Amino acid sequence: MKNLLVSGYRAHELNIFDQKNKNIIYIKKAIAGKLIPLIEEGLEWVITPGQLGVDLWACEVVLDLKTSYPDLKISIITAFSNPEEKWKDDKKEYYRQILKRVDYYGAVNNQPYIGPWQFTARDELLFRKTDGILLFYDEEAGEGSPKFMKDKALKKQAADGYRYVGLTFDDIQSTAEEEQINSFD
């Protein structure tokens, strides 16, 4: 697998409203734990839709991993231009700091938000350009926005072998428990 789509819950779906939330650390460590074996298998590009939450935390993880894996690249491909336009200033600044460091940034549609078809066009492009997906979604916790991506990924997996790598709340919990055990060593 050369190109991996990474996505999942939006921050607000996880009741995370600022970057100081300690749970972000565990989410990022769990993402890294899933990414490292894929990188060692030959992963070259991580691509995200760049939405607040798992998408941008994955960008941070990849940017950190670049110190150990300098050939790894990160891309944000949004549905429309200026998705951060209506965000609060602190979130805009966070997003812009990440944008400065990614290897590629693009918008599927270079206009501002017009309609939901822009998200459909983005997702179609992302699935076409990637070989698999790492998706943080847990159906047992209830439905959320990643459900649509999971459905598309599983259809593509059945049709042409697209790789699906899941990340669940149990994975995050295990990561948090490991961190707490290691902090006592």
Side-chain angles (χ1 to χ4, degrees):
M1 176 167 35
K2 300 287 184 202
N3 303 318
L4 179 72
L5 171 57
V6 179
S7 194
Y9 290 106
R10 307 299 165 250
H12 70 274
E13 291 176 303
L14 299 169
N15 292 318
I16 295 175
F17 300 101
D18 64 50
Q19 291 305 108
K20 295 176 185 135
N21 187 302
K22 66 178 173 61
N23 293 319
I24 296 171
I25 294 166
Y26 304 123
I27 293 168
K28 288 167 59 174
K29 286 186 181 286
I31 291 169
K34 296 280 187 174
L35 284 177
I36 290 170
L38 299 173
I39 296 164
E40 292 176 351
E41 289 173 18
L43 180 66
E44 295 174 4
W45 279 90
V46 172
I47 302 167
T48 79
Q51 296 185 299
L52 280 173
V54 172
D55 298 2
L56 294 181
W57 299 326
C59 289
E60 288 184 83
V61 169
V62 171
L63 291 167
D64 289 343
L65 287 173
K66 282 172 150 275
T67 57
S68 300
Y69 304 96
D71 294 333
L72 183 63
K73 304 249 186 299
I74 180 73
S75 172
I76 293 175
I77 299 177
T78 62
F80 50 88
S81 68
N82 301 320
E84 79 283 11
E85 190 172 51
K86 295 182 180 177
W87 296 355
K88 291 182 179 176
D89 287 342
D90 61 324
K91 290 178 171 75
K92 283 182 188 178
E93 181 57 26
Y94 165 67
Y95 182 69
R96 290 176 181 151
Q97 289 304 313
I98 290 175
L99 282 186
K100 288 179 186 175
R101 299 176 58 208
V102 299
D103 296 291
Y104 177 81
Y105 169 79
V108 174
N109 185 288
N110 288 323
Q111 299 175 328
Y113 179 76
I114 298 169
W117 62 269
Q118 291 167 303
F119 293 107
T120 303
R122 177 205 61 202
D123 292 352
E124 286 173 6
L125 176 74
L126 292 172
F127 279 105
R128 223 175 31 249
K129 295 291 185 183
T130 57
D131 310 305
I133 186 171
L134 167 56
L135 186 68
F136 179 14
Y137 180 59
D138 197 328
E139 290 175 88
E140 292 178 21
E143 286 193 8
S145 64
K147 179 186 185 326
F148 304 103
M149 283 223 164
K150 181 176 183 180
D151 292 346
K152 287 178 186 178
L154 293 178
K155 283 179 188 166
K156 189 165 172 58
Q157 182 182 47
D160 63 18
Y162 192 79
R163 191 160 168 194
Y164 180 86
V165 179
L167 185 63
T168 66
F169 286 107
D170 286 344
D171 296 322
I172 307 301
Q173 184 65 37
S174 295
T175 301
E177 289 168 3
E178 281 178 37
E179 284 296 306
Q180 289 172 350
I181 290 168
N182 291 339
S183 69
F184 292 117
D185 290 344

